[in-house]
Amino acid sequence: MLNITQSIGGSLSSPMVLAFLLGIIATLIKSDLKFPEGMYLGLTIFLLFAIGLKGGHKLSHASISEFILPGISAIAVCIIIPIANFFLLTKLLGFSTVNAAAISAHVGSVSVVTFSQVSIMLEKSGIQYEGFMPAILAIMEVPAILVALFLAQNSLQVNKEERRDLLHELFTNKGIVLLIGGIIIGMLTGDDGYKQVEPLYDGMFKGILCLFLLEVGLVTGRRLFDLTKVGPKLLIYGITMPIVHAVIGIILAHVSGLSEGGAIVFATLCASASYIAAPAAVRIALPDANPTYYLTAALVIIFPFNLTIGISIYMKLAHLIYSVW
Amino acid sequence: MLNITQSIGGSLSSPMVLAFLLGIIATLIKSDLKFPEGMYLGLTIFLLFAIGLKGGHKLSHASISEFILPGISAIAVCIIIPIANFFLLTKLLGFSTVNAAAISAHVGSVSVVTFSQVSIMLEKSGIQYEGFMPAILAIMEVPAILVALFLAQNSLQVNKEERRDLLHELFTNKGIVLLIGGIIIGMLTGDDGYKQVEPLYDGMFKGILCLFLLEVGLVTGRRLFDLTKVGPKLLIYGITMPIVHAVIGIILAHVSGLSEGGAIVFATLCASASYIAAPAAVRIALPDANPTYYLTAALVIIFPFNLTIGISIYMKLAHLIYSVW
Amino acid sequence: MLNITQSIGGSLSSPMVLAFLLGIIATLIKSDLKFPEGMYLGLTIFLLFAIGLKGGHKLSHASISEFILPGISAIAVCIIIPIANFFLLTKLLGFSTVNAAAISAHVGSVSVVTFSQVSIMLEKSGIQYEGFMPAILAIMEVPAILVALFLAQNSLQVNKEERRDLLHELFTNKGIVLLIGGIIIGMLTGDDGYKQVEPLYDGMFKGILCLFLLEVGLVTGRRLFDLTKVGPKLLIYGITMPIVHAVIGIILAHVSGLSEGGAIVFATLCASASYIAAPAAVRIALPDANPTYYLTAALVIIFPFNLTIGISIYMKLAHLIYSVW
Amino acid sequence: MVKLVPLKMVTIIALDALQHKLIADIKNCGSKGYTVAEVEGEGIHSKHFTDWEGRNVRIETLVTEEIADKIMQTISEKYFDRYSIVAFVSTVEVLRKEKFA
Amino acid sequence: MVKLVPLKMVTIIALDALQHKLIADIKNCGSKGYTVAEVEGEGIHSKHFTDWEGRNVRIETLVTEEIADKIMQTISEKYFDRYSIVAFVSTVEVLRKEKFA
Amino acid sequence: MVKLVPLKMVTIIALDALQHKLIADIKNCGSKGYTVAEVEGEGIHSKHFTDWEGRNVRIETLVTEEIADKIMQTISEKYFDRYSIVAFVSTVEVLRKEKFA
Ligand SMILES: Nc1ncnc2c1ncn2[C@@H]1O[C@H](COP(=O)(O)O)[C@@H](O)[C@H]1O
Ligand SMILES: Nc1ncnc2c1ncn2[C@@H]1O[C@H](COP(=O)(O)O)[C@@H](O)[C@H]1O
Ligand SMILES: Nc1ncnc2c1ncn2[C@@H]1O[C@H](COP(=O)(O)O)[C@@H](O)[C@H]1O
Ligand code: NA
Ligand code: NA
Ligand code: NA
């Protein structure tokens, strides 16, 4: 049923996935290919803003009332996932409090690139999804990080004033500002305004995502050998958890009244791990956490898994659940 | 008649204006959103070159004879405006010679982004304007700065050799080179050549302008509190002067035989303040001038005023004058 | 027959050639126009990857069997050219071993931008060429450099271990990785995948190439005065050699069964000089070689010659040879 | 002849996310200026070569010996135990000491 | 064993628009080489963090004490009163003094 | 009071293509960390201002005097005769010497 070889094969016809692999290979063969400093940041700004804009524009044509239940589900899942993961990681897998919290912050939050990839795959398959999903993406960026830091309370190396700073930083991080800012601009400008900027933000989106994934591949490749350091338990965790999260996501999506397409996107968000807000917050709030664990989990295991196999699995799982329920 | 609320409302449906506001808000809420170093320069190069190219291509289809009178008017206005402003600023508003000269250099020169915005608004309103306006833009970049520096003669902290250097720098600054270079390339390549590069320089123009304005907003936001330092007189000056300049511009445009659309563009150029050539020249030639005054006037007051309300006012003023005259 | 004035005139209607000239002029008049650090690298990455992708996509529709003979010719020419040039430069032109080897490495390898320009010119003239030419470009990047370094064996300032490193660096340099990576991705993704990224990699290609050539012009301009240092013999060499290489290229192309369009591309590759792999390799392996010689030959003489006159000559030569043979 | 007088240069290398806090600290200690450069680096704790790992900044401030001591004391107390940070003091000579004192 | 000999390092932090003039000056004073880095900064006169404010460069040149004095003298006369500029001298040790003298 | 102890800072300016080799060398000599900045420059041999000419890097490592000597020795043997490279040692003061020794 879940034909994994076929999924992998399918994803190998995606220029984005292939660009990601090229990046990894380039690092493995020790090529001098390196993106100029600033290009990663520039591409990130473009992608976040473009997702916001497109989402906002779709949202302006959607009815907001349908948004309330999925919105609540999104927040709920961002509280449940980090708590569950934190206990799993500390009690069962023997991670220290601070490392467990760091990993939970990452897996509880979401990945913008994984979101882009699932929307491209749905578009290709002709499956519709709710226009407000970028807003859900924005909602899911922060809460899990807060929950995870709360769980690490005692290990949290910040005093009261710094805690306030940290909260502030989380809610004003560039991911949030660009996504929500983009959504609002997309909603306010209307069709005429959107048409002016569409050739760049929509027309070029996939091409630029492809370039971005090449760079993500270069970074992932550099961290690939950390896999040997982290041991098999993190690997198994990183492949199992996304699927579990996706199933929770599909069920919650169904309960919230999302369409099958919406459920696939939501499941993918649940299964994805953050790489913008979470690493930045963890570096400041939990400087004792070992990046080898949280970066490897988020970037080297979960991200490629979702990109190549995960999303196809979630599409099939959603189809299964939506056809029997 | 001049319905300002409506103007502001209208400009709030422009993704460029909204991106500018997002930039300001991001700074005000102390977001970590920051463009990578070099991106500002890269975007500036693109915009200047694109404006030149497009203008040059239009120019190749226009008759040059119509260009002479407006060209002379452009130079005239670039001599009158800085002189008038310099005396206003020193005699009436009590600024020091060097600060008055610095501000006059900025308001006498022109803003490329404001030019782009007015051309987008005219396009949206279906109003035509002369194809040689980008050439007028290029003409208006430098003279006012020269006049202003001449007025500050005694305070000018340069010796003879440095004066020569300065003149040279003014006439070879990147704004001039890219605009005029772009215009000439646009004229020489012809339709075939232009079609090859049109998808980037025309198709992406508004989207990239939007990104650029986001960055301008970030910079403006950082300087917003300087408004409290400069006192109300600079604020009132910065809102009144553009309108006065615009009226002068419309009258001169009419006299020079420009169309109503051309008059709107010309008025907007007169009303706009420089942010490429002028700050660079003032930093070198008048290092004692206080950036709090000239950057606040140009960037924090005049630019947003033109972007949100000004241009709409000039459109109505031009319509008024052109319908009665 | 070979109407050079007409060729130059024709190339002056190409926005790419004009942008290159603008860059040179900007440097000559000492403008402050400067691209931000990293932009050159970013544009190079885009161009290489885009050429690969487009080529790979075309390749997926081509029959590979036709590729074998031209592939062998490409390697052959990359062995013959550096050897012949090395002896010419040492024996006849009196260059030192190390400088001769450095120049041979450059003229034996290929230029990606010259490749782009010839493909644009053929497209404009409606002349078809084989889809696998980007693969030929990739093949021709490295071998000549190896041969040239081998010829400088004794002057080669590397020990055994470093030699291994150098070989490795040559075969994994970013040019190779992006070109071959792009080709493979272009082949694997199929029409659907390619269509997703085409608007960026095909639609924007010429516009971005234009921007890139502006920057190449800026660098060339800075080295223009080196022409006076290198003496007339390098100038004469740099103008004669490309034509000789092109003739060899056309003959080999004909023998290998390439179409006339393919022969023009192949001839242009033979005539072009490297500016990505070769300078990087020579800096490390032959640090005693004088950049004034090899950079001037490659960038200041051969590249502009090909861009403005060369390619037109090769088109006519190919037409001549293909019509009589 | 120019008369050079000795002064202290404090250099701090740290995560770029700490930049604003560190600058506030050195201003509090009495520094009148500073210069910031973007750098990459590797130390005992971690690598700082990609945006995921966080890049570093190198902050330099030219101050009197007294202020230099104060800065070293402050940042050692506030950051040394918890963050990847390197700080050192060197002696330089300047012309106009008043500017920095 | 390596034998290190003392030499002077002159560091100048100034508006990037002054880069070419400053380099011409240090060459005139006898410097045989220099290294330039892009930096940002804040001092008494102004902030240099955006392109509107103008960015800074940090120019370093390794020279003999005599040339160092000459450079400090020259730039103090030409720029100190008029421009935002910071310059200082430090002592470093090198292996091949000939290269810089 | 803070107690500053002296330590050595080795600074190397070289072609960016040598970065990985130089870092391997300084690690081999016992350095526990380093900081890298992108710079441009001009010296006796060549200009390094464009990507064709190759840019430079500036590598700094804070080490004990013994390691500093070792690094200077190693790189002078391996690179000085053949590559455009500048290296110098300066004395700085740090708080926690253990971190670098
Ligand atoms: N010995 C050293 N010399 C120079 N820079 C260092 C040294 N150790 C650490 N650094 C810099 O300080 C940062 C943090 O170091 P660490 O706290 O050891 O991880 C590194 O990323 C380097 O940029
Ligand atoms: N005390 C200082 N320490 C380090 N850098 C400084 C200091 N003062 C000024 N600078 C640098 O020199 C530039 C010009 O300073 P100023 O002339 O004080 O505005 C600033 O932008 C800083 O980059
Ligand atoms: N005297 C010097 N002071 C500072 N940096 C230098 C000096 N000489 C050379 N450099 C730097 O070292 C690089 C190589 O120098 P060279 O080996 O002289 O070509 C140059 O590109 C400069 O960045
Ligand atoms: Na998640
Ligand atoms: Na004006
Ligand atoms: Na060649």
Side-chain angles (χ1 to χ4, degrees):
Chain A
M1 259 189 30
L2 298 177
N3 191 334
I4 286 177
T5 339
Q6 190 187 316
S7 300
I8 298 180
S11 76
L12 283 187
S13 73
S14 153
M16 290 84 195
V17 175
L18 289 167
F20 177 71
L21 291 179
L22 177 59
I24 292 180
I25 291 167
T27 315
L28 292 186
I29 63 173
K30 293 199 167 55
S31 165
D32 68 339
L33 177 58
K34 201 192 142 183
F35 275 50
E37 222 183 295
M39 191 148 165
Y40 170 79
L41 183 53
L43 294 175
T44 306
I45 291 172
F46 172 83
L47 294 177
L48 287 163
F49 190 54
I51 290 171
L53 265 185
K54 277 197 290 184
H57 181 242
K58 274 195 209 153
L59 209 52
S60 67
H61 296 280
S63 86
I64 301 292
S65 68
E66 307 160 10
F67 175 72
I68 295 168
L69 269 181
I72 294 171
S73 299
I75 295 172
V77 92
C78 285
I79 296 171
I80 303 164
I81 285 181
I83 295 178
N85 277 275
F86 180 76
F87 285 104
L88 178 76
L89 288 160
T90 47
K91 306 294 176 208
L92 252 83
L93 298 176
F95 282 95
S96 71
T97 310
V98 67
N99 281 325
I103 300 172
S104 303
H106 282 75
V107 301
S109 183
V110 288
S111 156
V112 172
V113 175
T114 314
F115 174 85
S116 306
Q117 185 62 15
V118 71
S119 57
I120 289 171
M121 286 175 71
L122 290 181
E123 197 187 298
K124 216 178 126 189
S125 313
I127 301 174
Q128 299 286 317
Y129 62 90
E130 283 77 4
F132 53 70
M133 291 314 288
I136 298 283
L137 167 71
I139 287 178
M140 291 174 79
E141 184 106 37
V142 166
I145 303 173
L146 289 179
V147 171
L149 296 186
F150 182 80
L151 292 167
Q153 193 84 6
N154 301 327
S155 316
L156 209 59
Q157 306 212 335
V158 289
N159 60 33
K160 213 159 190 182
E161 183 203 352
E162 289 172 328
R163 184 169 315 198
R164 219 196 42 220
D165 284 5
L166 193 70
L167 259 178
H168 175 262
E169 272 160 34
L170 274 170
F171 280 108
T172 60
N173 87 75
K174 57 176 160 288
I176 296 292
V177 167
L178 288 166
L179 274 178
I180 297 192
I183 288 173
I184 294 173
I185 294 178
M187 288 180 70
L188 290 178
T189 46
D191 291 353
D192 266 17
Y194 182 67
K195 227 171 277 166
Q196 297 182 338
V197 296
E198 196 177 18
L200 178 63
Y201 296 104
D202 195 15
M204 298 300 124
F205 189 82
K206 289 166 202 164
I208 291 176
L209 183 63
C210 195
L211 215 53
F212 185 75
L213 276 166
L214 178 55
E215 180 154 26
V216 178
L218 290 171
V219 179
T220 306
R222 262 205 272 180
R223 292 227 152 239
L224 208 58
F225 289 108
D226 285 353
L227 267 184
T228 60
K229 290 188 211 156
V230 297
K233 68 183 177 186
L234 196 68
L235 186 65
I236 295 168
Y237 164 81
I239 290 179
T240 329
M241 270 306 104
I243 303 180
V244 176
H245 293 173
V247 172
I248 298 172
I250 296 169
I251 293 168
L252 269 172
H254 199 296
V255 171
S256 324
L258 284 174
S259 68
E260 190 180 317
I264 294 167
V265 176
F266 191 64
T268 305
L269 285 174
C270 292
S272 74
S274 163
Y275 65 91
I276 293 180
V282 164
R283 271 200 301 271
I284 292 294
L286 302 170
D288 290 339
N290 190 342
T292 305
Y293 293 127
Y294 61 77
L295 287 183
T296 304
L299 199 62
V300 186
I301 305 171
I302 298 176
F303 177 68
F305 173 75
N306 281 330
L307 205 64
T308 50
I309 321 174
I311 299 177
S312 309
I313 296 180
Y314 315 148
M315 285 173 77
K316 282 171 187 153
L317 284 175
H319 191 65
L320 201 74
I321 293 176
Y322 269 69
S323 53
V324 298
W325 194 354
Chain B
M1 259 189 29
L2 298 178
N3 192 333
I4 286 176
T5 339
Q6 191 187 313
S7 299
I8 299 180
S11 75
L12 283 187
S13 73
S14 152
M16 289 83 195
V17 176
L18 289 167
F20 177 70
L21 291 179
L22 177 60
I24 292 181
I25 292 167
T27 315
L28 293 186
I29 63 172
K30 293 197 165 60
S31 165
D32 68 339
L33 177 57
K34 202 191 141 184
F35 275 51
E37 222 182 296
M39 190 149 165
Y40 170 80
L41 183 53
L43 294 175
T44 305
I45 290 172
F46 173 83
L47 294 177
L48 287 164
F49 191 54
I51 290 171
L53 265 185
K54 277 197 290 182
H57 181 243
K58 273 195 209 153
L59 209 52
S60 67
H61 294 281
S63 87
I64 302 292
S65 68
E66 308 159 11
F67 174 72
I68 296 167
L69 269 182
I72 294 171
S73 299
I75 294 172
V77 90
C78 286
I79 296 171
I80 302 164
I81 285 181
I83 295 178
N85 278 274
F86 180 75
F87 285 104
L88 178 77
L89 288 160
T90 47
K91 304 296 174 205
L92 253 83
L93 299 175
F95 282 96
S96 71
T97 309
V98 67
N99 281 326
I103 299 172
S104 302
H106 282 76
V107 301
S109 183
V110 288
S111 156
V112 173
V113 175
T114 314
F115 174 84
S116 307
Q117 185 63 14
V118 72
S119 57
I120 289 171
M121 286 174 71
L122 290 180
E123 196 186 300
K124 218 177 124 188
S125 313
I127 302 174
Q128 299 286 317
Y129 63 90
E130 282 77 4
F132 53 70
M133 291 315 288
I136 298 284
L137 168 72
I139 287 178
M140 292 174 77
E141 184 105 36
V142 165
I145 303 173
L146 289 178
V147 171
L149 296 185
F150 182 79
L151 292 167
Q153 194 84 5
N154 300 327
S155 317
L156 209 59
Q157 305 212 336
V158 289
N159 60 33
K160 214 158 187 182
E161 183 203 353
E162 290 172 327
R163 186 168 314 199
R164 218 196 41 220
D165 284 6
L166 194 70
L167 259 177
H168 174 263
E169 272 161 33
L170 273 170
F171 281 108
T172 61
N173 88 74
K174 57 176 160 289
I176 296 292
V177 167
L178 288 167
L179 274 178
I180 298 193
I183 288 174
I184 294 174
I185 294 179
M187 287 180 69
L188 290 178
T189 45
D191 291 353
D192 266 17
Y194 183 67
K195 226 171 278 164
Q196 296 181 339
V197 295
E198 196 176 20
L200 178 63
Y201 296 103
D202 195 16
M204 299 299 124
F205 189 81
K206 290 168 200 162
I208 290 176
L209 183 63
C210 195
L211 216 53
F212 185 74
L213 276 166
L214 178 55
E215 180 156 26
V216 178
L218 290 171
V219 179
T220 305
R222 265 206 269 179
R223 293 229 152 236
L224 209 58
F225 289 110
D226 285 352
L227 267 184
T228 59
K229 292 187 210 155
V230 298
K233 67 183 177 186
L234 195 69
L235 186 65
I236 295 168
Y237 165 81
I239 290 178
T240 329
M241 271 304 102
I243 302 181
V244 176
H245 293 172
V247 173
I248 298 171
I250 296 169
I251 293 168
L252 269 171
H254 199 295
V255 170
S256 324
L258 283 175
S259 69
E260 190 180 318
I264 295 167
V265 176
F266 190 64
T268 304
L269 285 174
C270 293
S272 75
S274 163
Y275 65 94
I276 293 179
V282 164
R283 272 199 301 271
I284 292 295
L286 302 170
D288 290 339
N290 190 343
T292 305
Y293 293 127
Y294 60 78
L295 285 182
T296 304
L299 198 62
V300 186
I301 305 172
I302 298 175
F303 177 67
F305 173 75
N306 282 330
L307 204 66
T308 51
I309 320 175
I311 299 176
S312 310
I313 297 179
Y314 315 148
M315 286 172 76
K316 282 171 187 154
L317 285 176
H319 191 65
L320 202 72
I321 294 175
Y322 269 69
S323 52
V324 299
W325 194 352
Chain C
M1 256 187 32
L2 297 179
N3 192 333
I4 286 176
T5 339
Q6 190 187 315
S7 299
I8 299 181
S11 76
L12 283 187
S13 73
S14 153
M16 289 84 196
V17 176
L18 289 167
F20 177 71
L21 291 179
L22 177 59
I24 291 180
I25 292 167
T27 315
L28 293 186
I29 63 172
K30 294 199 165 56
S31 165
D32 68 338
L33 177 57
K34 202 192 141 182
F35 275 51
E37 221 182 295
M39 190 149 165
Y40 169 80
L41 183 52
L43 294 175
T44 306
I45 291 173
F46 173 83
L47 294 177
L48 287 164
F49 191 54
I51 290 171
L53 266 184
K54 278 197 290 183
H57 181 242
K58 273 195 208 152
L59 210 51
S60 67
H61 295 280
S63 86
I64 301 293
S65 68
E66 309 158 9
F67 175 72
I68 296 168
L69 269 180
I72 293 171
S73 299
I75 294 172
V77 92
C78 286
I79 296 172
I80 302 163
I81 285 181
I83 294 178
N85 277 274
F86 180 77
F87 284 105
L88 178 76
L89 287 160
T90 48
K91 305 294 176 209
L92 253 82
L93 298 175
F95 282 95
S96 71
T97 309
V98 66
N99 281 326
I103 299 172
S104 303
H106 283 75
V107 301
S109 184
V110 288
S111 156
V112 173
V113 176
T114 314
F115 174 84
S116 307
Q117 185 62 14
V118 72
S119 58
I120 289 171
M121 286 174 71
L122 290 181
E123 196 186 298
K124 217 177 126 189
S125 312
I127 301 175
Q128 299 286 318
Y129 63 90
E130 283 76 5
F132 53 71
M133 290 315 287
I136 299 284
L137 167 71
I139 287 177
M140 292 174 78
E141 183 105 36
V142 165
I145 303 173
L146 289 178
V147 172
L149 296 185
F150 182 80
L151 292 167
Q153 193 83 6
N154 301 327
S155 315
L156 209 59
Q157 305 213 335
V158 289
N159 60 33
K160 212 158 190 183
E161 182 203 354
E162 289 171 328
R163 186 169 314 200
R164 218 197 41 219
D165 284 6
L166 194 69
L167 260 177
H168 175 262
E169 272 161 34
L170 273 170
F171 281 108
T172 60
N173 87 76
K174 57 175 159 289
I176 296 293
V177 167
L178 287 167
L179 273 177
I180 298 192
I183 289 172
I184 294 173
I185 294 179
M187 288 180 70
L188 290 178
T189 47
D191 291 353
D192 266 17
Y194 182 68
K195 227 171 277 166
Q196 296 182 341
V197 295
E198 196 177 21
L200 178 63
Y201 296 103
D202 195 15
M204 299 301 124
F205 188 82
K206 289 167 202 163
I208 291 177
L209 182 64
C210 194
L211 216 53
F212 185 75
L213 276 165
L214 178 55
E215 180 156 26
V216 178
L218 291 171
V219 180
T220 306
R222 264 206 269 180
R223 292 227 152 238
L224 208 58
F225 288 109
D226 286 353
L227 267 184
T228 60
K229 290 188 210 156
V230 297
K233 67 182 177 186
L234 196 68
L235 185 66
I236 296 168
Y237 165 81
I239 291 179
T240 329
M241 270 306 102
I243 303 181
V244 176
H245 293 174
V247 172
I248 298 171
I250 296 169
I251 293 167
L252 269 173
H254 199 294
V255 172
S256 323
L258 282 175
S259 68
E260 190 180 318
I264 295 167
V265 176
F266 190 65
T268 305
L269 285 174
C270 292
S272 75
S274 162
Y275 65 92
I276 293 180
V282 165
R283 272 200 301 271
I284 291 295
L286 302 170
D288 289 339
N290 189 345
T292 304
Y293 293 126
Y294 61 78
L295 287 182
T296 303
L299 199 61
V300 186
I301 305 172
I302 298 176
F303 177 67
F305 174 74
N306 281 331
L307 205 64
T308 51
I309 320 175
I311 299 177
S312 310
I313 296 180
Y314 314 149
M315 286 173 76
K316 283 172 186 151
L317 284 176
H319 190 65
L320 201 73
I321 294 175
Y322 270 70
S323 52
V324 298
W325 194 353
Chain D
M1 257 307 299
V2 297
K3 228 185 62 218
L4 293 166
V5 287
L7 212 61
K8 293 293 173 185
M9 172 64 93
V10 181
T11 305
I12 306 166
I13 299 164
L15 205 59
D16 59 3
L18 294 176
Q19 176 174 341
H20 294 295
K21 281 175 195 155
L22 287 166
I23 286 173
D25 289 330
I26 64 173
K27 279 184 179 173
N28 271 346
C29 292
S31 160
K32 291 198 182 156
Y34 57 88
T35 298
V36 185
E38 292 179 4
V39 296
E40 303 188 328
E42 187 175 341
I44 307 171
H45 301 95
S46 53
K47 294 178 183 185
H48 293 282
F49 282 99
T50 64
D51 289 277
W52 270 278
E53 297 153 345
R55 299 197 187 260
N56 285 338
V57 287
R58 184 185 197 278
I59 305 174
E60 288 181 323
T61 181
L62 211 53
V63 289
T64 60
E65 181 151 11
E66 198 195 0
I67 296 175
D69 279 351
K70 220 153 127 193
I71 294 176
M72 289 302 278
Q73 182 121 33
T74 309
I75 64 163
S76 75
E77 277 165 16
K78 286 181 75 171
Y79 307 97
F80 273 23
D81 296 341
R82 295 156 46 193
Y83 293 102
S84 282
I85 190 165
V86 162
F88 55 88
V89 180
S90 53
T91 304
V92 304
E93 291 172 295
V94 297
L95 280 184
R96 304 165 302 172
K97 195 172 172 170
E98 326 74 69
K99 180 168 175 174
F100 311 98
Chain E
M1 257 307 300
V2 297
K3 226 188 60 221
L4 293 166
V5 287
L7 211 62
K8 293 293 172 185
M9 171 64 93
V10 181
T11 306
I12 306 167
I13 299 164
L15 206 58
D16 59 3
L18 294 176
Q19 177 174 340
H20 295 294
K21 283 175 194 153
L22 288 166
I23 286 173
D25 289 329
I26 64 172
K27 279 185 180 171
N28 271 346
C29 291
S31 160
K32 292 200 181 153
Y34 57 87
T35 298
V36 185
E38 293 178 5
V39 296
E40 304 188 329
E42 187 175 341
I44 306 170
H45 302 94
S46 53
K47 294 179 183 185
H48 294 281
F49 282 99
T50 64
D51 289 277
W52 270 279
E53 297 152 347
R55 298 197 188 260
N56 285 337
V57 287
R58 184 185 197 279
I59 304 174
E60 286 181 323
T61 181
L62 213 50
V63 289
T64 59
E65 181 151 12
E66 198 195 359
I67 296 175
D69 279 351
K70 220 153 127 193
I71 293 175
M72 289 302 277
Q73 182 121 31
T74 309
I75 64 162
S76 75
E77 277 164 18
K78 287 181 73 170
Y79 306 97
F80 272 24
D81 296 340
R82 296 156 46 193
Y83 293 101
S84 283
I85 190 164
V86 162
F88 55 87
V89 180
S90 53
T91 305
V92 304
E93 291 172 296
V94 298
L95 279 184
R96 304 165 301 171
K97 194 171 173 172
E98 326 75 70
K99 179 167 176 175
F100 311 97
Chain F
M1 257 307 300
V2 297
K3 227 185 61 218
L4 293 166
V5 288
L7 212 62
K8 292 294 173 185
M9 171 65 92
V10 181
T11 306
I12 306 165
I13 300 165
L15 206 58
D16 59 3
L18 294 176
Q19 176 174 339
H20 295 295
K21 282 175 194 153
L22 287 166
I23 287 173
D25 289 329
I26 63 173
K27 278 185 181 172
N28 271 345
C29 291
S31 160
K32 292 198 179 155
Y34 58 89
T35 299
V36 184
E38 292 177 6
V39 295
E40 304 188 329
E42 187 175 342
I44 306 171
H45 302 93
S46 54
K47 294 179 184 187
H48 294 281
F49 282 99
T50 64
D51 289 278
W52 269 280
E53 297 152 347
R55 299 196 188 261
N56 285 339
V57 286
R58 185 186 197 278
I59 305 175
E60 288 181 323
T61 181
L62 212 51
V63 290
T64 60
E65 181 152 11
E66 198 195 0
I67 296 175
D69 279 351
K70 221 153 127 191
I71 293 176
M72 290 301 278
Q73 181 121 33
T74 309
I75 63 163
S76 76
E77 278 165 17
K78 286 181 74 171
Y79 307 96
F80 273 22
D81 296 341
R82 294 157 45 193
Y83 294 102
S84 283
I85 190 165
V86 162
F88 55 88
V89 180
S90 53
T91 305
V92 304
E93 292 173 294
V94 298
L95 280 184
R96 303 166 301 172
K97 194 172 174 171
E98 326 74 69
K99 179 167 176 176
F100 310 99

